[in-house]
Amino acid sequence: MKKVARHPWRHRWRHSLRLRLITVFVLLALAMGVVFLGGMQRAFSTGWRDAARPLITDYMDRLVAELGTPPDVGRAQALATRLPIAIRIAGPQVNWQSHPDRPDWRNRPAFEGRASDWLSRSTADGHRVSFGLGTVAWQGGPHGIGWITLALLLALIAAAYVYVRRLLRPLDDIRAGAERFGRGVFDAPIPLRRRDELGDLAQRINTMAHDIEGMLDAKRGLLLALSHELRSPLTRARLNAELLPTTAQGTGAATGGGNRERAALLRDLGEMRDLISDLLESERLASPHAALQRESSDLAALVLETVADLPTAAGVVLDLAPGLPLIALDRTRMRLLLRNLLDNALRYSVDAAQPPRIALTREAGGVMLEVRDFGPGVDATQLERLTEPFYRTDSARQRATGGVGLGLYLCQLVAQAHGSRLEVRRCEPGLSVRLLLNL
């Protein structure tokens, strides 16, 4: 994280295909410009110089002849005024230069008096005449051309960025669509903006999402159908099991072992009934078309009713704030949530120092419900997975204490259906489950 904070642009460049494409475009443009300018300069410095040298040499000879012997300063001044050239004369009689206010020219080879310089000539009387460029109207042009070239290059880079961003816009749509599909939201497919490779990829992902949605719907339908079909024979089996002691007493065959077997059978049948009920309710709530039967309810009274219906919840501590406002709730689903949270807290409070606690407090915009136990709790690495379906901690996998892992998942679905979300926290000792119900 520190490395990302110190170099955010480097991190963004490494993880952005768009920025890397722009970088490649800029480097390619600069490389092409350097290669082009270098090649043109090389071509002009070799071929054109060799072609122009005889012409310039002959022209220099004519200019020196026009100055006379010894060189006439007046004629030199007239030439420097009429032509865009600078003239310097150095010798025993005349020492003169046409541009004395340009000291930077003194370092030019044309004014150093080198015998090999083809822009210099020696006269018969020992004078050295050197020529160079003078003040011309277009002398400041290269600077303006340089700034214009830079502006054009920046404009091309900006246009390339906009174009590449437009080309890669389907990637943003694909990323957003993948996030939606991962959350189980299939009602908004990825928009198809173009008919190219990215458009084809978006179409294939939409097809895949449609197939996944179909498989999920088929799984949900199969699970609902099986659950419905299992409820009837399960109810008959439980009824027959409850009638066993009466039949056995009539024949004088009732024993203590038979009663234990009957109790074990009824317990297993009850677990199967609760599992089927939870599966049906979870599939209903997980459906995007799940509807709640909301009505103004007193949450504190609903808590008291739920605690009273659980025989094992007699010792639960109630901390219910007075004067709580009425909330629009689905009473059946909220009672299911309270029962599961209480059952979960009681299951892991068998050897705890304190009984579970239920608290209702007034919060900004709603009522906060908290169910806390003082049991062993869970490991921090397992905390975020407690609301996943069929997930059980290692300690919960024991047959005597653990369920099938649907309790907190079902509570999460009920909370989400009411516009809230479960917040599971470690309390040392124990575990706290909270949710805020908005008014």
Side-chain angles (χ1 to χ4, degrees):
M1 294 299 295
K2 293 182 179 179
K3 186 176 181 181
V4 174
R6 291 177 57 185
H7 306 285
W9 284 104
R10 182 183 301 176
H11 177 78
R12 183 180 178 186
W13 183 86
R14 289 178 178 177
H15 294 79
S16 175
L17 178 61
R18 183 183 299 111
L19 291 180
R20 281 183 287 174
L21 287 176
I22 292 296
T23 303
V24 171
F25 172 80
V26 172
L27 293 179
L28 181 61
L30 292 176
M32 292 179 62
V34 170
V35 171
F36 177 77
L37 293 178
M40 294 299 295
Q41 183 179 7
R42 183 68 178 174
F44 278 101
S45 61
T46 55
W48 285 99
R49 176 176 293 183
D50 294 340
R53 185 165 184 169
L55 299 176
I56 296 178
T57 300
D58 182 71
Y59 187 66
M60 295 297 104
D61 293 338
R62 293 177 179 275
L63 291 179
V64 171
E66 185 176 349
L67 294 179
T69 304
D72 189 345
V73 174
R75 293 179 181 179
Q77 181 66 48
L79 284 176
T81 303
R82 178 165 52 91
L83 300 175
I85 59 175
I87 303 175
R88 178 179 176 180
I89 303 173
Q93 300 181 21
V94 181
N95 287 281
W96 176 86
Q97 62 179 1
S98 60
H99 296 76
D101 55 340
R102 301 285 295 274
D104 54 311
W105 287 356
R106 298 175 183 175
N107 297 324
R108 292 190 177 183
F111 290 159
E112 291 298 326
R114 299 177 183 175
S116 59
D117 191 351
W118 54 295
L119 293 179
S120 298
R121 294 291 181 272
S122 298
T123 61
D125 55 0
H127 288 82
R128 184 75 175 176
V129 181
S130 301
F131 298 92
L133 288 177
T135 303
V136 293
W138 46 266
Q139 192 171 6
H143 299 285
I145 294 175
W147 286 110
I148 293 175
T149 303
L150 179 61
L152 290 176
L153 180 61
L154 293 177
L156 288 175
I157 294 174
Y161 177 80
V162 173
Y163 182 69
V164 172
R165 183 177 179 85
R166 182 179 178 184
L167 285 178
L168 299 181
R169 187 178 179 183
L171 289 180
D172 298 332
D173 298 332
I174 292 173
R175 180 178 65 249
E179 292 176 354
R180 290 195 304 273
F181 299 155
R183 295 193 304 267
V185 181
F186 300 98
D187 54 349
I190 301 173
L192 303 179
R193 302 184 183 276
R194 295 196 310 271
R195 297 184 178 275
D196 54 7
E197 290 83 356
L198 292 179
D200 181 67
L201 177 61
Q203 178 63 44
R204 292 177 183 271
I205 294 177
N206 285 335
T207 304
M208 179 187 67
H210 180 73
D211 295 340
I212 293 175
E213 183 182 14
M215 288 188 293
L216 291 177
D217 291 339
K219 184 266 297 182
R220 184 178 294 112
L222 178 62
L223 188 59
L224 289 174
L226 289 176
S227 300
H228 277 293
E229 293 298 326
L230 286 174
R231 295 186 75 173
S232 296
L234 183 61
T235 302
R236 292 194 298 269
R238 183 176 179 83
L239 180 61
N240 292 330
E242 290 176 349
L243 294 176
L244 282 177
T246 304
T247 304
Q249 288 179 359
T251 60
T255 62
N259 290 331
R260 287 193 299 270
E261 292 176 357
R262 171 187 172 277
L265 179 59
L266 288 175
R267 183 177 62 250
D268 291 339
L269 291 174
E271 290 181 1
M272 293 177 64
R273 178 199 60 199
D274 295 339
L275 173 60
I276 291 175
S277 298
D278 289 346
L279 283 173
L280 285 171
E281 192 62 28
S282 63
E283 289 301 323
R284 292 192 188 102
L285 290 173
S287 173
H289 306 292
L292 299 180
Q293 302 296 326
R294 291 178 179 264
E295 56 180 315
S296 296
S297 305
D298 186 350
L299 186 57
L302 195 59
V303 170
L304 293 175
E305 293 175 7
T306 306
V307 172
D309 291 339
L310 290 176
T312 58
V316 174
V317 178
L318 299 178
D319 184 10
L320 310 179
L324 294 175
L326 299 179
I327 305 177
L329 301 174
D330 187 318
R331 294 176 59 87
T332 303
R333 267 63 181 270
M334 189 55 59
R335 188 180 288 110
L336 175 65
L337 179 143
L338 291 170
R339 190 188 74 232
N340 281 333
L341 291 181
L342 273 174
D343 183 69
N344 190 71
L346 290 168
R347 183 182 296 118
Y348 299 107
S349 298
V350 177
D351 298 326
Q354 302 180 44
R357 182 174 65 91
I358 300 179
L360 288 178
T361 55
R362 179 69 182 269
E363 298 287 341
V367 176
M368 179 67 71
L369 168 66
E370 180 181 14
V371 179
R372 179 185 174 183
D373 65 78
F374 296 86
V378 298
D379 189 76
T381 58
Q382 299 175 330
L383 196 62
E384 296 181 354
R385 302 191 60 188
L386 291 179
T387 56
E388 295 180 2
F390 300 105
Y391 178 78
R392 294 184 295 174
T393 60
D394 294 335
S395 61
R397 295 183 186 276
Q398 301 177 4
R399 185 70 175 172
T401 60
V404 296
L406 280 177
L408 287 179
Y409 169 65
L410 190 56
C411 293
Q412 180 74 284
L413 293 178
V414 173
Q416 291 177 351
H418 285 82
S420 182
R421 187 173 182 84
L422 289 187
E423 179 185 353
V424 185
R425 300 188 303 173
R426 300 175 64 198
C427 293
E428 301 295 342
L431 202 67
S432 170
V433 180
R434 306 174 63 191
L435 69 152
L436 178 64
L437 296 169
N438 298 318
L439 297 177

